[in-house]
Amino acid sequence: MRKAIFFSLLCLLGTGLSATAKDYPVSSAKELSALNLKPGDRVLMKEGEWKDQQLKFKANGMKGRPIVLMSANPGKTTLNGNSTLDIDGSWLLVDGLSFIKGSLDSGEVVNFSEKSFSCRLTNTNITDYNNADDKADYTWVSLRGSHNRVDHCLFQGKSHQGVTMVVWLSEKPNYHQIDHNYFGPRPELGRNGGETIRIGTSTWSFHDSFTIVEQNIFEHCNGEIEAVSVKSGRNIIRNNLFYECKATLTLRHGNHSEVTGNYFIGNGKPGTGGVRIIGEDHRVHDNYFQDLTGTGNSAAISVMAGLPNPILVSHWQVKNAVITDNLVVNCKEPFAIAAGYRKDRYLPALNTYFAKNIIVANSDPLKWYDEKVVVKFEDNLIFSTSFSGEKGRGFELRNEQLKKSADGLFLRPGQADFKPFWKSEQVGPISFLYLNKKIIIN
């Protein structure tokens, strides 16, 4: 019997599941800072209003035994005033907080420190955290460090200067993950600095990030022309929904990124856009575009003209873009070639490959802003009454109608019915219940 108990204890300790983990109730940032936290510990924030509290969550957990900072009563702990949170350590988990109607002058509401590693922000809400001066420039979430995750959170109502969420680069790749979040309405700012997500900066744009952005909903994110601005290399933006956004997913700087499986639903709203391509070796494939009204830089798929002798903040020449297997339905400008072309921005895209795309259009699906650009077209299907095809072969005209799924999405020929992720998975915090909301597809 003793041997069995001893062996069980050894197994428990060997897997890191010792019985020493503790719960620590706290009622202020000062009490949090005073704790000496160990792997497996939980910090339980007292329910109620936390005003002007600068939370410093600094500790080091272990894989499988994170240290948790959470509301003692989920959804009942509200931070406001100038309250902020700094996540500084490894294997730290923040769960179930709400930042509502606070205000900062600068900095960030939630910050993952440069030393943060494998930390996670989940089930958390930041809403209307706005300075009265809309030129006050601060970020709601800053991701530094590496291998951190932001998931099942809600961000909505940002009306002041500054990006909602920023991935900051360093000499080493980030490997961050941003998934299953709801990014709600953001009104037009009227100037730069209104992005919803930005991965990198112009000055760091030749560094690789390896950040994944997936299964998020961007609804009415209209802060500026870029809803998601990629300014680094080797990122994956996949299986997200951009719903009635007067903004685009822009590969603004950096190379070797992939945009796949995303949905862009415009419902005919003014200025709604798709994907904008700048830089080298990007892949844009298996995306869905419907009823977008944007043109030029805001077309469904836009390949930009480049600047000669570019500096880091310039529009670099497009090279080796691979655009395949996309479905573009009833968009005002399905494919814009050399968008942004002007006398000083004239470098043509080189080695662009446009193949196996399906376009449904009542007008010519190709818009040429520079007639000199050469694009290789191959095996595309065009459902159109006015496609001229004068730019070369690579298109097959079809007359039949595409079928629709039960949820109103057009299906590719031979594609079986399916449920998109926002119909089958939880997006945003548990209390948000996005599955009970409806995405209407006209």
mmCIF file of all heavy atoms in Angstrom, residues 305-345:
data_model
loop_
_atom_site.group_PDB
_atom_site.id
_atom_site.type_symbol
_atom_site.label_atom_id
_atom_site.label_comp_id
_atom_site.label_asym_id
_atom_site.label_seq_id
_atom_site.Cartn_x
_atom_site.Cartn_y
_atom_site.Cartn_z
ATOM 1 N N ALA A 305 0.801 48.650 -58.221
ATOM 2 C CA ALA A 305 1.996 49.141 -58.902
ATOM 3 C C ALA A 305 3.022 49.540 -57.858
ATOM 4 O O ALA A 305 2.676 49.922 -56.737
ATOM 5 C CB ALA A 305 1.640 50.337 -59.786
ATOM 6 N N GLY A 306 4.306 49.439 -58.206
ATOM 7 C CA GLY A 306 5.378 49.697 -57.249
ATOM 8 C C GLY A 306 6.134 50.984 -57.533
ATOM 9 O O GLY A 306 6.098 51.533 -58.640
ATOM 10 N N LEU A 307 6.842 51.447 -56.512
ATOM 11 C CA LEU A 307 7.669 52.647 -56.625
ATOM 12 C C LEU A 307 9.105 52.262 -56.978
ATOM 13 O O LEU A 307 9.652 51.310 -56.419
ATOM 14 C CB LEU A 307 7.672 53.424 -55.310
ATOM 15 C CG LEU A 307 6.454 54.302 -55.028
ATOM 16 C CD1 LEU A 307 6.443 54.707 -53.561
ATOM 17 C CD2 LEU A 307 6.465 55.535 -55.910
ATOM 18 N N PRO A 308 9.767 53.002 -57.856
ATOM 19 C CA PRO A 308 11.186 52.750 -58.109
ATOM 20 C C PRO A 308 12.026 53.236 -56.931
ATOM 21 O O PRO A 308 11.655 54.176 -56.229
ATOM 22 C CB PRO A 308 11.457 53.581 -59.365
ATOM 23 C CG PRO A 308 10.448 54.683 -59.317
ATOM 24 C CD PRO A 308 9.214 54.082 -58.691
ATOM 25 N N ASN A 309 13.160 52.582 -56.714
ATOM 26 C CA ASN A 309 14.075 52.943 -55.623
ATOM 27 C C ASN A 309 13.340 53.118 -54.292
ATOM 28 O O ASN A 309 13.445 54.149 -53.633
ATOM 29 C CB ASN A 309 14.839 54.226 -55.973
ATOM 30 C CG ASN A 309 15.591 54.107 -57.280
ATOM 31 O OD1 ASN A 309 16.314 53.140 -57.506
ATOM 32 N ND2 ASN A 309 15.401 55.089 -58.160
ATOM 33 N N PRO A 310 12.589 52.111 -53.881
ATOM 34 C CA PRO A 310 11.747 52.281 -52.692
ATOM 35 C C PRO A 310 12.554 52.322 -51.398
ATOM 36 O O PRO A 310 13.604 51.688 -51.274
ATOM 37 C CB PRO A 310 10.849 51.041 -52.731
ATOM 38 C CG PRO A 310 11.682 50.004 -53.424
ATOM 39 C CD PRO A 310 12.469 50.766 -54.458
ATOM 40 N N ILE A 311 12.042 53.083 -50.439
ATOM 41 C CA ILE A 311 12.541 53.024 -49.077
ATOM 42 C C ILE A 311 11.584 52.146 -48.283
ATOM 43 O O ILE A 311 10.567 51.676 -48.808
ATOM 44 C CB ILE A 311 12.663 54.434 -48.466
ATOM 45 C CG1 ILE A 311 11.301 55.135 -48.469
ATOM 46 C CG2 ILE A 311 13.699 55.248 -49.238
ATOM 47 C CD1 ILE A 311 11.316 56.510 -47.806
ATOM 48 N N LEU A 312 11.875 51.928 -47.013
ATOM 49 C CA LEU A 312 11.108 50.942 -46.249
ATOM 50 C C LEU A 312 9.616 51.259 -46.183
ATOM 51 O O LEU A 312 8.787 50.352 -46.100
ATOM 52 C CB LEU A 312 11.682 50.819 -44.837
ATOM 53 C CG LEU A 312 12.987 50.017 -44.729
ATOM 54 C CD1 LEU A 312 13.536 50.088 -43.314
ATOM 55 C CD2 LEU A 312 12.784 48.568 -45.149
ATOM 56 N N VAL A 313 9.237 52.527 -46.220
ATOM 57 C CA VAL A 313 7.822 52.864 -46.094
ATOM 58 C C VAL A 313 7.109 52.905 -47.448
ATOM 59 O O VAL A 313 5.922 53.191 -47.513
ATOM 60 C CB VAL A 313 7.648 54.228 -45.384
ATOM 61 C CG1 VAL A 313 8.202 54.158 -43.973
ATOM 62 C CG2 VAL A 313 8.314 55.352 -46.169
ATOM 63 N N SER A 314 7.826 52.605 -48.534
ATOM 64 C CA SER A 314 7.252 52.735 -49.880
ATOM 65 C C SER A 314 6.390 51.533 -50.262
ATOM 66 O O SER A 314 6.367 50.508 -49.571
ATOM 67 C CB SER A 314 8.384 52.885 -50.905
ATOM 68 O OG SER A 314 9.150 54.046 -50.688
ATOM 69 N N HIS A 315 5.720 51.681 -51.413
ATOM 70 C CA HIS A 315 5.029 50.553 -52.039
ATOM 71 C C HIS A 315 6.049 49.800 -52.893
ATOM 72 O O HIS A 315 6.452 50.271 -53.970
ATOM 73 C CB HIS A 315 3.877 51.044 -52.915
ATOM 74 C CG HIS A 315 2.702 51.549 -52.151
ATOM 75 N ND1 HIS A 315 2.668 52.798 -51.573
ATOM 76 C CD2 HIS A 315 1.509 50.956 -51.847
ATOM 77 C CE1 HIS A 315 1.507 52.970 -50.961
ATOM 78 N NE2 HIS A 315 0.791 51.868 -51.107
ATOM 79 N N TRP A 316 6.468 48.632 -52.434
ATOM 80 C CA TRP A 316 7.472 47.856 -53.141
ATOM 81 C C TRP A 316 6.829 47.127 -54.317
ATOM 82 O O TRP A 316 5.632 46.846 -54.335
ATOM 83 C CB TRP A 316 8.146 46.871 -52.187
ATOM 84 C CG TRP A 316 9.095 47.563 -51.243
ATOM 85 C CD1 TRP A 316 8.771 48.454 -50.267
ATOM 86 C CD2 TRP A 316 10.518 47.440 -51.217
ATOM 87 N NE1 TRP A 316 9.896 48.900 -49.617
ATOM 88 C CE2 TRP A 316 10.998 48.289 -50.187
ATOM 89 C CE3 TRP A 316 11.437 46.703 -51.946
ATOM 90 C CZ2 TRP A 316 12.340 48.415 -49.878
ATOM 91 C CZ3 TRP A 316 12.786 46.818 -51.635
ATOM 92 C CH2 TRP A 316 13.226 47.670 -50.620
ATOM 93 N N GLN A 317 7.655 46.778 -55.259
ATOM 94 C CA GLN A 317 7.181 46.095 -56.457
ATOM 95 C C GLN A 317 6.661 44.704 -56.122
ATOM 96 O O GLN A 317 7.211 43.994 -55.284
ATOM 97 C CB GLN A 317 8.322 45.991 -57.473
ATOM 98 C CG GLN A 317 7.916 45.477 -58.838
ATOM 99 C CD GLN A 317 9.079 45.521 -59.823
ATOM 100 O OE1 GLN A 317 10.241 45.528 -59.434
ATOM 101 N NE2 GLN A 317 8.761 45.549 -61.107
ATOM 102 N N VAL A 318 5.566 44.316 -56.765
ATOM 103 C CA VAL A 318 5.004 42.976 -56.609
ATOM 104 C C VAL A 318 5.784 42.010 -57.494
ATOM 105 O O VAL A 318 5.975 42.266 -58.687
ATOM 106 C CB VAL A 318 3.515 42.957 -56.987
ATOM 107 C CG1 VAL A 318 2.956 41.540 -56.876
ATOM 108 C CG2 VAL A 318 2.719 43.906 -56.102
ATOM 109 N N LYS A 319 6.205 40.912 -56.886
ATOM 110 C CA LYS A 319 6.910 39.882 -57.637
ATOM 111 C C LYS A 319 6.405 38.501 -57.213
ATOM 112 O O LYS A 319 6.195 38.238 -56.031
ATOM 113 C CB LYS A 319 8.421 39.956 -57.398
ATOM 114 C CG LYS A 319 9.076 41.254 -57.856
ATOM 115 C CD LYS A 319 10.572 41.250 -57.563
ATOM 116 C CE LYS A 319 11.234 42.556 -57.976
ATOM 117 N NZ LYS A 319 12.689 42.567 -57.666
ATOM 118 N N ASN A 320 6.176 37.646 -58.183
ATOM 119 C CA ASN A 320 5.887 36.225 -57.944
ATOM 120 C C ASN A 320 4.608 36.001 -57.137
ATOM 121 O O ASN A 320 4.524 35.065 -56.335
ATOM 122 C CB ASN A 320 7.063 35.539 -57.240
ATOM 123 C CG ASN A 320 8.374 35.770 -57.933
ATOM 124 O OD1 ASN A 320 8.457 35.740 -59.164
ATOM 125 N ND2 ASN A 320 9.430 36.029 -57.158
ATOM 126 N N ALA A 321 3.602 36.827 -57.328
ATOM 127 C CA ALA A 321 2.325 36.611 -56.647
ATOM 128 C C ALA A 321 1.596 35.435 -57.286
ATOM 129 O O ALA A 321 1.479 35.349 -58.512
ATOM 130 C CB ALA A 321 1.470 37.862 -56.717
ATOM 131 N N VAL A 322 1.096 34.533 -56.464
ATOM 132 C CA VAL A 322 0.343 33.365 -56.929
ATOM 133 C C VAL A 322 -1.087 33.508 -56.413
ATOM 134 O O VAL A 322 -1.330 33.487 -55.206
ATOM 135 C CB VAL A 322 0.980 32.057 -56.433
ATOM 136 C CG1 VAL A 322 0.137 30.861 -56.859
ATOM 137 C CG2 VAL A 322 2.402 31.920 -56.971
ATOM 138 N N ILE A 323 -2.028 33.665 -57.346
ATOM 139 C CA ILE A 323 -3.427 33.929 -57.002
ATOM 140 C C ILE A 323 -4.264 32.818 -57.620
ATOM 141 O O ILE A 323 -4.495 32.791 -58.844
ATOM 142 C CB ILE A 323 -3.858 35.305 -57.544
ATOM 143 C CG1 ILE A 323 -2.919 36.409 -57.027
ATOM 144 C CG2 ILE A 323 -5.299 35.609 -57.153
ATOM 145 C CD1 ILE A 323 -3.041 37.711 -57.782
ATOM 146 N N THR A 324 -4.715 31.878 -56.814
ATOM 147 C CA THR A 324 -5.360 30.681 -57.356
ATOM 148 C C THR A 324 -6.575 30.262 -56.539
ATOM 149 O O THR A 324 -6.663 30.515 -55.334
ATOM 150 C CB THR A 324 -4.377 29.493 -57.383
ATOM 151 O OG1 THR A 324 -3.929 29.214 -56.047
ATOM 152 C CG2 THR A 324 -3.167 29.796 -58.255
ATOM 153 N N ASP A 325 -7.530 29.610 -57.223
ATOM 154 C CA ASP A 325 -8.642 28.899 -56.584
ATOM 155 C C ASP A 325 -9.514 29.807 -55.728
ATOM 156 O O ASP A 325 -10.129 29.355 -54.748
ATOM 157 C CB ASP A 325 -8.116 27.729 -55.747
ATOM 158 C CG ASP A 325 -7.399 26.696 -56.586
ATOM 159 O OD1 ASP A 325 -8.073 25.995 -57.349
ATOM 160 O OD2 ASP A 325 -6.148 26.605 -56.489
ATOM 161 N N ASN A 326 -9.606 31.077 -56.071
ATOM 162 C CA ASN A 326 -10.504 31.992 -55.374
ATOM 163 C C ASN A 326 -11.859 32.032 -56.075
ATOM 164 O O ASN A 326 -11.949 31.843 -57.292
ATOM 165 C CB ASN A 326 -9.902 33.394 -55.334
ATOM 166 C CG ASN A 326 -8.555 33.419 -54.622
ATOM 167 O OD1 ASN A 326 -8.490 33.321 -53.407
ATOM 168 N ND2 ASN A 326 -7.472 33.530 -55.392
ATOM 169 N N LEU A 327 -12.912 32.300 -55.297
ATOM 170 C CA LEU A 327 -14.258 32.453 -55.841
ATOM 171 C C LEU A 327 -14.686 33.900 -55.629
ATOM 172 O O LEU A 327 -14.758 34.373 -54.492
ATOM 173 C CB LEU A 327 -15.227 31.500 -55.148
ATOM 174 C CG LEU A 327 -16.710 31.591 -55.545
ATOM 175 C CD1 LEU A 327 -16.888 31.393 -57.050
ATOM 176 C CD2 LEU A 327 -17.529 30.563 -54.769
ATOM 177 N N VAL A 328 -14.941 34.609 -56.742
ATOM 178 C CA VAL A 328 -15.273 36.031 -56.701
ATOM 179 C C VAL A 328 -16.650 36.212 -57.335
ATOM 180 O O VAL A 328 -16.829 35.968 -58.537
ATOM 181 C CB VAL A 328 -14.222 36.868 -57.455
ATOM 182 C CG1 VAL A 328 -14.494 38.355 -57.257
ATOM 183 C CG2 VAL A 328 -12.807 36.515 -56.987
ATOM 184 N N VAL A 329 -17.630 36.649 -56.535
ATOM 185 C CA VAL A 329 -19.022 36.690 -56.983
ATOM 186 C C VAL A 329 -19.572 38.117 -56.884
ATOM 187 O O VAL A 329 -19.581 38.721 -55.803
ATOM 188 C CB VAL A 329 -19.900 35.739 -56.149
ATOM 189 C CG1 VAL A 329 -21.346 35.786 -56.636
ATOM 190 C CG2 VAL A 329 -19.369 34.317 -56.202
ATOM 191 N N ASN A 330 -20.020 38.632 -58.015
ATOM 192 C CA ASN A 330 -20.745 39.907 -58.062
ATOM 193 C C ASN A 330 -19.987 41.046 -57.388
ATOM 194 O O ASN A 330 -20.565 41.867 -56.665
ATOM 195 C CB ASN A 330 -22.132 39.759 -57.416
ATOM 196 C CG ASN A 330 -22.987 38.719 -58.134
ATOM 197 O OD1 ASN A 330 -22.820 38.481 -59.330
ATOM 198 N ND2 ASN A 330 -23.876 38.074 -57.392
ATOM 199 N N CYS A 331 -18.695 41.104 -57.597
ATOM 200 C CA CYS A 331 -17.881 42.203 -57.075
ATOM 201 C C CYS A 331 -17.673 43.237 -58.174
ATOM 202 O O CYS A 331 -17.502 42.891 -59.348
ATOM 203 C CB CYS A 331 -16.532 41.694 -56.571
ATOM 204 S SG CYS A 331 -16.676 40.613 -55.129
ATOM 205 N N LYS A 332 -17.668 44.510 -57.811
ATOM 206 C CA LYS A 332 -17.573 45.579 -58.810
ATOM 207 C C LYS A 332 -16.282 45.492 -59.599
ATOM 208 O O LYS A 332 -16.273 45.743 -60.808
ATOM 209 C CB LYS A 332 -17.692 46.940 -58.120
ATOM 210 C CG LYS A 332 -17.776 48.095 -59.100
ATOM 211 C CD LYS A 332 -18.106 49.396 -58.400
ATOM 212 C CE LYS A 332 -18.262 50.535 -59.411
ATOM 213 N NZ LYS A 332 -18.611 51.807 -58.740
ATOM 214 N N GLU A 333 -15.187 45.147 -58.924
ATOM 215 C CA GLU A 333 -13.905 45.019 -59.607
ATOM 216 C C GLU A 333 -13.211 43.761 -59.092
ATOM 217 O O GLU A 333 -12.477 43.796 -58.113
ATOM 218 C CB GLU A 333 -13.044 46.258 -59.345
ATOM 219 C CG GLU A 333 -12.130 46.635 -60.488
ATOM 220 C CD GLU A 333 -11.553 48.024 -60.306
ATOM 221 O OE1 GLU A 333 -12.191 49.002 -60.758
ATOM 222 O OE2 GLU A 333 -10.479 48.132 -59.694
ATOM 223 N N PRO A 334 -13.421 42.617 -59.745
ATOM 224 C CA PRO A 334 -12.868 41.359 -59.243
ATOM 225 C C PRO A 334 -11.346 41.339 -59.148
ATOM 226 O O PRO A 334 -10.791 40.870 -58.156
ATOM 227 C CB PRO A 334 -13.382 40.323 -60.241
ATOM 228 C CG PRO A 334 -14.631 40.929 -60.791
ATOM 229 C CD PRO A 334 -14.345 42.400 -60.879
ATOM 230 N N PHE A 335 -10.663 41.850 -60.190
ATOM 231 C CA PHE A 335 -9.199 41.775 -60.204
ATOM 232 C C PHE A 335 -8.648 43.072 -60.780
ATOM 233 O O PHE A 335 -8.812 43.367 -61.964
ATOM 234 C CB PHE A 335 -8.752 40.572 -61.038
ATOM 235 C CG PHE A 335 -7.262 40.326 -61.038
ATOM 236 C CD1 PHE A 335 -6.470 40.660 -59.940
ATOM 237 C CD2 PHE A 335 -6.642 39.748 -62.141
ATOM 238 C CE1 PHE A 335 -5.105 40.436 -59.945
ATOM 239 C CE2 PHE A 335 -5.277 39.509 -62.155
ATOM 240 C CZ PHE A 335 -4.500 39.868 -61.054
ATOM 241 N N ALA A 336 -8.010 43.862 -59.896
ATOM 242 C CA ALA A 336 -7.410 45.128 -60.303
ATOM 243 C C ALA A 336 -5.914 44.931 -60.507
ATOM 244 O O ALA A 336 -5.210 44.487 -59.601
ATOM 245 C CB ALA A 336 -7.657 46.196 -59.250
ATOM 246 N N ILE A 337 -5.433 45.237 -61.705
ATOM 247 C CA ILE A 337 -4.033 45.014 -62.075
ATOM 248 C C ILE A 337 -3.322 46.363 -62.146
ATOM 249 O O ILE A 337 -3.746 47.266 -62.872
ATOM 250 C CB ILE A 337 -3.952 44.281 -63.422
ATOM 251 C CG1 ILE A 337 -4.733 42.961 -63.342
ATOM 252 C CG2 ILE A 337 -2.506 44.027 -63.821
ATOM 253 C CD1 ILE A 337 -5.124 42.386 -64.679
ATOM 254 N N ALA A 338 -2.243 46.505 -61.365
ATOM 255 C CA ALA A 338 -1.477 47.760 -61.270
ATOM 256 C C ALA A 338 -2.291 48.864 -60.613
ATOM 257 O O ALA A 338 -2.198 50.034 -60.983
ATOM 258 C CB ALA A 338 -0.963 48.201 -62.628
ATOM 259 N N ALA A 339 -3.075 48.507 -59.608
ATOM 260 C CA ALA A 339 -3.823 49.518 -58.860
ATOM 261 C C ALA A 339 -2.854 50.515 -58.234
ATOM 262 O O ALA A 339 -1.744 50.174 -57.853
ATOM 263 C CB ALA A 339 -4.654 48.842 -57.776
ATOM 264 N N GLY A 340 -3.293 51.754 -58.146
ATOM 265 C CA GLY A 340 -2.435 52.791 -57.592
ATOM 266 C C GLY A 340 -1.420 53.339 -58.567
ATOM 267 O O GLY A 340 -0.555 54.141 -58.183
ATOM 268 N N TYR A 341 -1.516 52.928 -59.831
ATOM 269 C CA TYR A 341 -0.552 53.372 -60.841
ATOM 270 C C TYR A 341 -0.623 54.888 -61.021
ATOM 271 O O TYR A 341 -1.690 55.493 -61.087
ATOM 272 C CB TYR A 341 -0.856 52.680 -62.168
ATOM 273 C CG TYR A 341 0.010 53.152 -63.319
ATOM 274 C CD1 TYR A 341 1.252 52.581 -63.542
ATOM 275 C CD2 TYR A 341 -0.430 54.178 -64.153
ATOM 276 C CE1 TYR A 341 2.056 53.016 -64.596
ATOM 277 C CE2 TYR A 341 0.360 54.618 -65.204
ATOM 278 C CZ TYR A 341 1.601 54.040 -65.408
ATOM 279 O OH TYR A 341 2.391 54.479 -66.445
ATOM 280 N N ARG A 342 0.552 55.514 -61.087
ATOM 281 C CA ARG A 342 0.659 56.927 -61.391
ATOM 282 C C ARG A 342 2.069 57.193 -61.919
ATOM 283 O O ARG A 342 2.883 56.267 -61.995
ATOM 284 C CB ARG A 342 0.345 57.785 -60.158
ATOM 285 C CG ARG A 342 1.284 57.545 -58.987
ATOM 286 C CD ARG A 342 0.768 58.183 -57.713
ATOM 287 N NE ARG A 342 1.785 58.138 -56.667
ATOM 288 C CZ ARG A 342 1.529 58.165 -55.374
ATOM 289 N NH1 ARG A 342 0.270 58.219 -54.962
ATOM 290 N NH2 ARG A 342 2.506 58.144 -54.495
ATOM 291 N N LYS A 343 2.386 58.416 -62.246
ATOM 292 C CA LYS A 343 3.662 58.725 -62.880
ATOM 293 C C LYS A 343 4.859 58.317 -62.028
ATOM 294 O O LYS A 343 5.896 57.902 -62.551
ATOM 295 C CB LYS A 343 3.727 60.215 -63.212
ATOM 296 C CG LYS A 343 2.824 60.616 -64.364
ATOM 297 C CD LYS A 343 2.992 62.086 -64.706
ATOM 298 C CE LYS A 343 2.117 62.469 -65.887
ATOM 299 N NZ LYS A 343 2.252 63.906 -66.234
ATOM 300 N N ASP A 344 4.746 58.467 -60.720
ATOM 301 C CA ASP A 344 5.882 58.121 -59.858
ATOM 302 C C ASP A 344 5.763 56.729 -59.254
ATOM 303 O O ASP A 344 6.653 56.279 -58.547
ATOM 304 C CB ASP A 344 6.030 59.159 -58.737
ATOM 305 C CG ASP A 344 4.842 59.167 -57.786
ATOM 306 O OD1 ASP A 344 3.737 58.815 -58.248
ATOM 307 O OD2 ASP A 344 5.008 59.526 -56.607
ATOM 308 N N ARG A 345 4.647 56.045 -59.496
ATOM 309 C CA ARG A 345 4.462 54.673 -59.003
ATOM 310 C C ARG A 345 4.083 53.815 -60.203
ATOM 311 O O ARG A 345 2.920 53.610 -60.504
ATOM 312 C CB ARG A 345 3.363 54.620 -57.931
ATOM 313 C CG ARG A 345 3.255 53.252 -57.245
ATOM 314 C CD ARG A 345 1.984 53.130 -56.428
ATOM 315 N NE ARG A 345 1.954 54.055 -55.316
ATOM 316 C CZ ARG A 345 0.859 54.413 -54.650
ATOM 317 N NH1 ARG A 345 -0.318 53.933 -55.024
ATOM 318 N NH2 ARG A 345 0.922 55.264 -53.639
#
